[in-house]
Amino acid sequence: MTVDGYTSVAELDAALVECRACPRLVEWRERVAREMRAAFRDQTYWGRPVPGFGPTDAPLVIVGLAPAAHGANRTGRMFTGDRSGDVLYAALHAVGLANQPTAVHAGDGLELRGVRITAPVHCAPPENKPTPAERDTCGNWLRAELRLLSPRAVVVLGAFGWQSLLPVLADAGWAVPRPRPVFGHGVHVELPGHNSVLHLFGCYHVSQQNTFTGRLTPAMVEDVLTRAADVAGLTR
Ligand code: SF4
């Protein structure tokens, strides 16, 4: 799949939402959208690829995993309408990178400052588990988006995102060392690129599995976001 010809993030997003390259994910995202969860029966699910959210010149990028079936696959906006998003947007607001702490639906007035949120897989996968082939196929979109954005810092939520992102960064022109840096919460790696160094940060995923158990606290998320915002030049 060639997706490198786009000259703007807006153009890339417009093409992304039409993508049907992964048959299993197309079937799943559309089936979930048809069948719906009882609590959301009065809504129309998005049921398509979810594009990145945030300014198209953001110096800081957050990379998650994939849209949640009844979260972003329903609302059409990254981390919007689910518990993971509640934690992430509250933290972004706390450190001055979002204008409000909540994300309920795509028209709720939420705006991000200097941050764009994207994912290695743009369609909701069954059980939140994309296959390696789906990850690699969708990695083409991520590579094209990162080339256009050329960020100064990236925060990766979780090991899946980290492992997906490193080959994408290498493909996009950043120097990724061998052996590859190991994921961990708070890990900070500097990757030389064509024009500048990319600061890569690891953060545990904001999933309920981590936040309900106390493995990841709001303060831990805010700490990583603050460090990344500082090196990205985002004054708060
Ligand atoms: Fe296209 Fe990515 Fe969705 Fe696969 S996961 S269908 S590559 S947008």
Side-chain angles (χ1 to χ4, degrees), residues 1 16 19-22 25-26 29 49 120-123 134 137-138 141:
M1 186 167 68
L16 167 74
C19 183
R20 304 181 68 82
C22 307
L25 300 189
V26 170
R29 77 191 191 203
V121 175
H122 285 274
C123 293
E134 290 160 352
T137 303
C138 210
W141 289 110

Side-chain angles (χ1 to χ4, degrees), residues 15-51:
L16 167 74
V17 299
E18 303 295 338
C19 183
R20 304 181 68 82
C22 307
R24 186 183 80 116
L25 300 189
V26 170
E27 195 278 331
W28 175 253
R29 77 191 191 203
E30 293 179 357
R31 176 142 59 96
V32 169
R34 272 193 315 275
E35 295 177 354
M36 298 190 272
R37 181 176 280 171
F40 305 125
R41 285 220 183 278
D42 59 338
Q43 300 181 17
T44 301
Y45 274 54
W46 174 250
R48 297 166 70 182
V50 179

Side-chain angles (χ1 to χ4, degrees), residues 156 158-167 181-184 187 189 200-202:
V156 187
F160 179 91
W162 183 270
Q163 278 146 16
S164 305
L165 181 64
L166 290 177
V182 176
F183 173 77
V187 165
V189 183
L200 184 63
F201 292 85

